[in-house]
Amino acid sequence: MVDPDFFSSLLLIITINIVLSGDNAVVIAIACRRLPAEQQKKAIVWGTTLAVIVRVIATILAVYLLKIPYLYLIGGTILLWISYNLLREEDDQDGIDASEDLVSAVKTIVVADIMMGLDNVLAIAGAAQGNILLIVIGLLISVPLMVFGSQLILRVMERFAWLVYFGSGVLALAAANMILTEETVRAWVDPYPGLAFLVKAVLVLAVLLLGYRQRSKGKAS
């Protein structure tokens, strides 16, 4: 614990968490936006706590995760669906039981964090160089980062409802980045300059347009 290398690695892990936790704060805020005020904090605390526990386990097993074929492609595709689904459900909240909605919000937070946290997991695993204590401490630090960040974003989104589109766009962009990280996809895209940017733009716009269309239909009916 007194080794300077330990603290320098811990500082690196903290920095990684600060840089990579922004998307997670966004998804937490969006997932909790429909909850009653008294349940929002519960969902944030439970969701982030469970997500970090899962992420600790995933980071320790990162060596095995790297061997899973098409890991980033599958995760990115699921995250695309989550980003669209959050928009699609914006106006579909009448008659939803509060307790069920709380559970649903927690599930959304955990699943999205798993999908979005792959880069974080791999980066932390590399920085820790196999030190499990570093992995656990570094990831536990991400709890207040995500909790306080999501609560701030949530308050802003309550005042400016249109920001839900921005949040979903951020998630869609994270999903596109994950898909393009997949080795097979990257090998297809890299030879063509500008294609990666085009793919990202198409995926983000597709999610936003489909979500807007679905919400418009819901209002019309």
Side-chain angles (χ1 to χ4, degrees):
M1 289 287 290
V2 297
D3 188 351
D5 290 339
F6 180 93
F7 288 103
S8 62
S9 297
L10 180 59
L11 180 61
L12 178 58
I13 290 174
I14 293 173
T15 303
I16 290 171
N17 272 316
I18 292 173
V19 172
L20 297 181
S21 291
D23 289 348
N24 303 78
V26 171
V27 74
I28 292 169
I30 296 176
C32 298
R33 74 189 185 281
R34 296 188 293 123
L35 289 174
E38 65 273 10
Q39 291 189 359
Q40 289 178 352
K41 190 171 183 179
K42 290 181 181 179
I44 291 173
V45 172
W46 278 105
T48 52
T49 300
L50 292 174
V52 170
I53 291 173
V54 172
R55 196 183 290 190
V56 169
I57 297 172
T59 304
I60 295 173
L61 300 176
V63 173
Y64 300 98
L65 290 176
L66 285 171
K67 297 179 181 179
I68 300 176
Y70 305 110
L71 176 66
Y72 282 98
L73 180 60
I74 295 171
T77 302
I78 294 175
L79 188 55
L80 273 179
W81 168 250
I82 290 175
S83 63
Y84 162 72
N85 202 48
L86 289 171
L87 272 182
R88 185 176 65 86
E89 293 181 349
E90 170 70 9
D91 292 317
D92 186 25
Q93 49 186 302
D94 294 334
I96 294 179
D97 182 75
S99 61
E100 293 179 359
D101 195 48
L102 174 61
V103 173
S104 177
V106 171
K107 287 180 180 178
T108 298
I109 292 170
V110 174
V111 173
D113 184 81
I114 293 172
M115 296 302 104
M116 297 175 63
L118 292 176
D119 287 339
N120 195 313
V121 163
L122 299 178
I124 291 175
Q129 297 181 346
N131 190 321
I132 295 178
L133 181 60
L134 269 175
I135 292 173
V136 173
I137 293 176
L139 287 172
L140 286 177
I141 291 172
S142 68
V143 173
L145 291 176
M146 288 190 288
V147 169
F148 293 124
S150 60
Q151 288 179 328
L152 176 61
I153 293 172
L154 186 58
R155 285 195 292 268
V156 174
M157 290 179 65
E158 286 174 350
R159 290 194 59 186
F160 306 100
W162 57 268
L163 284 176
V164 68
Y165 285 100
F166 174 79
S168 292
V170 170
L171 300 186
L173 180 59
N177 286 332
M178 285 184 62
I179 292 172
L180 291 171
T181 301
E182 179 63 46
E183 185 176 349
T184 303
V185 178
R186 190 171 65 247
W188 176 70
V189 170
D190 284 350
Y192 305 97
L195 184 57
F197 174 81
L198 179 61
V199 170
K200 293 177 185 180
V202 168
L203 290 177
V204 171
L205 286 174
V207 167
L208 295 178
L209 290 175
L210 288 173
Y212 176 79
R213 181 182 178 186
Q214 186 68 29
R215 290 182 63 196
S216 298
K217 286 183 178 179
K219 290 179 179 179
S221 59

PDB file of all heavy atoms in Angstrom, residues 72 179-188:
ATOM      1  N   TYR A  72     -17.434  -6.861 -28.503  1.00  0.00           N
ATOM      2  CA  TYR A  72     -17.795  -5.457 -28.668  1.00  0.00           C
ATOM      3  C   TYR A  72     -18.978  -5.283 -29.619  1.00  0.00           C
ATOM      4  O   TYR A  72     -19.807  -4.401 -29.428  1.00  0.00           O
ATOM      5  CB  TYR A  72     -16.592  -4.663 -29.183  1.00  0.00           C
ATOM      6  CG  TYR A  72     -15.588  -4.339 -28.113  1.00  0.00           C
ATOM      7  CD1 TYR A  72     -14.445  -5.111 -27.936  1.00  0.00           C
ATOM      8  CD2 TYR A  72     -15.789  -3.259 -27.262  1.00  0.00           C
ATOM      9  CE1 TYR A  72     -13.525  -4.820 -26.948  1.00  0.00           C
ATOM     10  CE2 TYR A  72     -14.880  -2.957 -26.272  1.00  0.00           C
ATOM     11  CZ  TYR A  72     -13.747  -3.739 -26.119  1.00  0.00           C
ATOM     12  OH  TYR A  72     -12.845  -3.442 -25.134  1.00  0.00           O
ATOM     13  N   ILE A 179     -19.029  -0.911 -31.406  1.00  0.00           N
ATOM     14  CA  ILE A 179     -19.147  -1.745 -32.605  1.00  0.00           C
ATOM     15  C   ILE A 179     -17.920  -1.587 -33.494  1.00  0.00           C
ATOM     16  O   ILE A 179     -17.387  -2.568 -34.029  1.00  0.00           O
ATOM     17  CB  ILE A 179     -20.435  -1.384 -33.373  1.00  0.00           C
ATOM     18  CG1 ILE A 179     -21.664  -1.804 -32.553  1.00  0.00           C
ATOM     19  CG2 ILE A 179     -20.460  -2.034 -34.758  1.00  0.00           C
ATOM     20  CD1 ILE A 179     -22.986  -1.335 -33.125  1.00  0.00           C
ATOM     21  N   LEU A 180     -17.448  -0.354 -33.630  1.00  0.00           N
ATOM     22  CA  LEU A 180     -16.283  -0.100 -34.477  1.00  0.00           C
ATOM     23  C   LEU A 180     -14.986  -0.569 -33.834  1.00  0.00           C
ATOM     24  O   LEU A 180     -13.955  -0.653 -34.506  1.00  0.00           O
ATOM     25  CB  LEU A 180     -16.192   1.395 -34.799  1.00  0.00           C
ATOM     26  CG  LEU A 180     -17.287   1.927 -35.727  1.00  0.00           C
ATOM     27  CD1 LEU A 180     -17.239   3.446 -35.812  1.00  0.00           C
ATOM     28  CD2 LEU A 180     -17.162   1.317 -37.121  1.00  0.00           C
ATOM     29  N   THR A 181     -15.016  -0.867 -32.533  1.00  0.00           N
ATOM     30  CA  THR A 181     -13.842  -1.405 -31.861  1.00  0.00           C
ATOM     31  C   THR A 181     -13.655  -2.885 -32.161  1.00  0.00           C
ATOM     32  O   THR A 181     -12.538  -3.402 -32.085  1.00  0.00           O
ATOM     33  CB  THR A 181     -13.962  -1.199 -30.329  1.00  0.00           C
ATOM     34  OG1 THR A 181     -14.089   0.193 -30.060  1.00  0.00           O
ATOM     35  CG2 THR A 181     -12.744  -1.728 -29.595  1.00  0.00           C
ATOM     36  N   GLU A 182     -14.751  -3.555 -32.521  1.00  0.00           N
ATOM     37  CA  GLU A 182     -14.670  -4.976 -32.866  1.00  0.00           C
ATOM     38  C   GLU A 182     -13.669  -5.183 -34.001  1.00  0.00           C
ATOM     39  O   GLU A 182     -13.704  -4.497 -35.017  1.00  0.00           O
ATOM     40  CB  GLU A 182     -16.051  -5.488 -33.274  1.00  0.00           C
ATOM     41  CG  GLU A 182     -16.081  -6.946 -33.675  1.00  0.00           C
ATOM     42  CD  GLU A 182     -15.701  -7.855 -32.520  1.00  0.00           C
ATOM     43  OE1 GLU A 182     -16.217  -7.649 -31.407  1.00  0.00           O
ATOM     44  OE2 GLU A 182     -14.877  -8.751 -32.745  1.00  0.00           O
ATOM     45  N   GLU A 183     -12.771  -6.124 -33.812  1.00  0.00           N
ATOM     46  CA  GLU A 183     -11.664  -6.312 -34.758  1.00  0.00           C
ATOM     47  C   GLU A 183     -12.143  -6.566 -36.176  1.00  0.00           C
ATOM     48  O   GLU A 183     -11.609  -6.003 -37.140  1.00  0.00           O
ATOM     49  CB  GLU A 183     -10.783  -7.477 -34.288  1.00  0.00           C
ATOM     50  CG  GLU A 183      -9.548  -7.681 -35.136  1.00  0.00           C
ATOM     51  CD  GLU A 183      -8.656  -8.783 -34.588  1.00  0.00           C
ATOM     52  OE1 GLU A 183      -8.891  -9.227 -33.442  1.00  0.00           O
ATOM     53  OE2 GLU A 183      -7.733  -9.196 -35.312  1.00  0.00           O
ATOM     54  N   THR A 184     -13.158  -7.404 -36.325  1.00  0.00           N
ATOM     55  CA  THR A 184     -13.673  -7.708 -37.660  1.00  0.00           C
ATOM     56  C   THR A 184     -14.245  -6.471 -38.330  1.00  0.00           C
ATOM     57  O   THR A 184     -14.005  -6.214 -39.516  1.00  0.00           O
ATOM     58  CB  THR A 184     -14.765  -8.792 -37.569  1.00  0.00           C
ATOM     59  OG1 THR A 184     -14.231  -9.950 -36.923  1.00  0.00           O
ATOM     60  CG2 THR A 184     -15.255  -9.168 -38.964  1.00  0.00           C
ATOM     61  N   VAL A 185     -15.012  -5.684 -37.580  1.00  0.00           N
ATOM     62  CA  VAL A 185     -15.607  -4.465 -38.128  1.00  0.00           C
ATOM     63  C   VAL A 185     -14.517  -3.446 -38.447  1.00  0.00           C
ATOM     64  O   VAL A 185     -14.553  -2.793 -39.494  1.00  0.00           O
ATOM     65  CB  VAL A 185     -16.623  -3.868 -37.132  1.00  0.00           C
ATOM     66  CG1 VAL A 185     -17.207  -2.566 -37.679  1.00  0.00           C
ATOM     67  CG2 VAL A 185     -17.734  -4.872 -36.843  1.00  0.00           C
ATOM     68  N   ARG A 186     -13.541  -3.311 -37.558  1.00  0.00           N
ATOM     69  CA  ARG A 186     -12.465  -2.348 -37.766  1.00  0.00           C
ATOM     70  C   ARG A 186     -11.659  -2.671 -39.021  1.00  0.00           C
ATOM     71  O   ARG A 186     -11.262  -1.781 -39.772  1.00  0.00           O
ATOM     72  CB  ARG A 186     -11.547  -2.316 -36.541  1.00  0.00           C
ATOM     73  CG  ARG A 186     -10.541  -1.172 -36.579  1.00  0.00           C
ATOM     74  CD  ARG A 186      -9.798  -1.025 -35.266  1.00  0.00           C
ATOM     75  NE  ARG A 186      -8.963  -2.179 -34.990  1.00  0.00           N
ATOM     76  CZ  ARG A 186      -9.161  -3.029 -34.005  1.00  0.00           C
ATOM     77  NH1 ARG A 186     -10.194  -2.850 -33.187  1.00  0.00           N
ATOM     78  NH2 ARG A 186      -8.374  -4.053 -33.805  1.00  0.00           N
ATOM     79  N   ALA A 187     -11.437  -3.963 -39.264  1.00  0.00           N
ATOM     80  CA  ALA A 187     -10.691  -4.368 -40.452  1.00  0.00           C
ATOM     81  C   ALA A 187     -11.444  -4.001 -41.726  1.00  0.00           C
ATOM     82  O   ALA A 187     -10.832  -3.712 -42.767  1.00  0.00           O
ATOM     83  CB  ALA A 187     -10.434  -5.877 -40.409  1.00  0.00           C
ATOM     84  N   TRP A 188     -12.773  -3.970 -41.648  1.00  0.00           N
ATOM     85  CA  TRP A 188     -13.585  -3.619 -42.812  1.00  0.00           C
ATOM     86  C   TRP A 188     -13.655  -2.117 -43.015  1.00  0.00           C
ATOM     87  O   TRP A 188     -13.714  -1.621 -44.135  1.00  0.00           O
ATOM     88  CB  TRP A 188     -14.987  -4.204 -42.630  1.00  0.00           C
ATOM     89  CG  TRP A 188     -15.945  -3.830 -43.714  1.00  0.00           C
ATOM     90  CD1 TRP A 188     -15.932  -4.259 -44.999  1.00  0.00           C
ATOM     91  CD2 TRP A 188     -17.064  -2.937 -43.599  1.00  0.00           C
ATOM     92  NE1 TRP A 188     -16.978  -3.696 -45.701  1.00  0.00           N
ATOM     93  CE2 TRP A 188     -17.680  -2.880 -44.874  1.00  0.00           C
ATOM     94  CE3 TRP A 188     -17.600  -2.193 -42.549  1.00  0.00           C
ATOM     95  CZ2 TRP A 188     -18.801  -2.100 -45.108  1.00  0.00           C
ATOM     96  CZ3 TRP A 188     -18.718  -1.423 -42.795  1.00  0.00           C
ATOM     97  CH2 TRP A 188     -19.304  -1.382 -44.056  1.00  0.00           C
TER      98      TRP A 188
END
